[in-house]
């Protein structure tokens, strides 16, 4: 029902022509539930598209939460400073080096090209693992701890990674996080846990 309710917002922003071209299609916004991500090729287009989006939301008796909304640049001029975007009710959207999208685990960072930060996902992964290991790590079998690791912790670390580009450094960082918890489970200092006690 919410998708039907805001259908006019989607059609108006898509038809304005201020979005980014992905192949032959112009994409202005991406939506997931009530999260809106505005995509434009320039800063001036952000101001124009934001104004269209905000006016349409006001006609639906909805407003933008300026406390949770930020702007970010990706591209050759990502370090250039920009004027904050003003809202109809006097609020301002500031420019940030990092934005959170889809919960608390996907963080997109400003840069020359699209990149995501895994530091928050790794913290959540370690926190989930330590919570399990602190309660049953010394009394349960290693198989049980590994099974719980797969069920409860890997989702925290790998959430959204199938949709975001990971560089070699990020892949190595992810492998290190996984290896470090396996070393703790099997009580070893070996860097290669694939060979420890037959772990697959």
């Amino acid at each position: 029902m919410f998708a039907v309710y805001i259908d006019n917002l989607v059609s108006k922003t898509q038809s304005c022509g201020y979005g980014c071209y992905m192949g032959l299609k112009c994409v202005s916004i991406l939506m997931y539930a009530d999260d809106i991500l505005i995509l434009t090729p320039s800063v001036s287009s952000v101001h124009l598209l934001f104004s269209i989006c905000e006016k349409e939301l006001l006609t639906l008796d909805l407003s933008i939460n300026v406390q949770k909304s930020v702007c970010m640049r990706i591209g050759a001029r990502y370090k250039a400073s920009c004027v904050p975007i003003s809202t109809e009710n006097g609020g301002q959207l500031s420019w940030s080096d990092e934005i959170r999208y889809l919960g608390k685990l996907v963080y997109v960072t400003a840069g020359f090209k699209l990149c995501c930060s895994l530091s928050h996902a790794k913290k959540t992964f370690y926190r989930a693992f330590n919570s399990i290991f602190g309660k049953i790590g010394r009394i349960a079998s290693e198989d049980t701890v590994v099974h719980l690791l797969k069920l409860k912790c890997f989702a925290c670390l790998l959430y959204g990674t199938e949709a975001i580009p990971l560089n070699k450094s990020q892949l190595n960082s992810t492998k290190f996080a996984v290896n470090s918890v396996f070393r703790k489970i099997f009580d070893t200092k070996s860097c290669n846990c694939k060979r420890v006690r037959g772990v697959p």
Side-chain angles (χ1 to χ4, degrees):
M1 290 303 291
F2 184 72
V4 174
Y5 188 63
I6 59 166
D7 188 56
N8 280 350
L9 169 68
V10 177
S11 57
K12 282 196 177 181
T13 53
Q14 291 294 89
S15 63
C16 70
Y18 294 131
C20 296
Y21 279 88
M22 297 179 180
L24 298 174
K25 188 176 180 183
C26 180
V27 178
S28 302
I29 62 169
L30 297 175
M31 294 190 68
Y32 184 81
D34 62 342
D35 279 345
I36 300 173
L37 186 65
I38 296 175
L39 302 169
T40 67
S42 67
V43 173
S44 58
S45 298
V46 171
H47 287 269
L48 294 168
L49 191 57
F50 177 81
S51 178
I52 291 168
C53 191
E54 185 181 26
K55 283 174 184 171
E56 188 58 34
L57 285 171
L58 288 172
T59 63
L60 298 170
D61 201 25
L62 297 171
S63 61
I64 293 171
N65 186 342
V66 293
Q67 305 297 325
K68 294 182 178 178
S69 305
V70 292
C71 305
M72 188 181 70
R73 291 185 85 170
I74 296 172
R77 300 193 55 197
Y78 76 95
K79 289 184 178 177
S81 59
C82 301
V83 176
I85 295 176
S86 298
T87 63
E88 294 277 332
N89 60 4
Q92 284 193 332
L93 272 66
S94 58
W95 292 80
S96 175
D97 293 332
E98 187 176 70
I99 60 169
R100 187 179 76 193
Y101 189 59
L102 298 182
K104 297 182 178 178
L105 297 177
V106 177
Y107 283 79
V108 181
T109 55
F112 188 74
K113 58 184 180 179
L114 180 66
C115 185
C116 289
S117 169
L118 296 179
S119 60
H120 301 280
K122 285 194 296 182
K123 283 177 190 173
T124 308
F125 170 73
Y126 283 127
R127 194 179 303 122
F129 170 73
N130 287 329
S131 176
I132 292 168
F133 196 74
K135 289 188 171 109
I136 64 161
R138 301 298 176 208
I139 54 173
S141 69
E142 293 157 348
D143 288 341
T144 303
V145 178
V146 170
H147 184 68
L148 287 171
L149 172 71
K150 288 178 182 177
L151 284 177
K152 302 293 183 182
C153 306
F154 281 163
C156 299
L157 182 63
L158 303 175
Y159 181 78
T161 53
E162 68 279 356
I164 56 177
L166 297 180
N167 58 36
K168 190 175 180 180
S169 172
Q170 289 173 316
L171 287 172
N172 288 336
S173 177
T174 304
K175 286 178 187 176
F176 178 83
V178 172
N179 264 335
S180 66
V181 297
F182 274 119
R183 285 198 301 271
K184 194 166 184 179
I185 292 169
F186 292 100
D187 194 21
T188 180
K189 293 183 180 177
S190 171
C191 292
N192 188 359
C193 287
K194 290 179 182 176
R195 295 179 186 159
V196 177
R197 301 191 194 180
V199 176

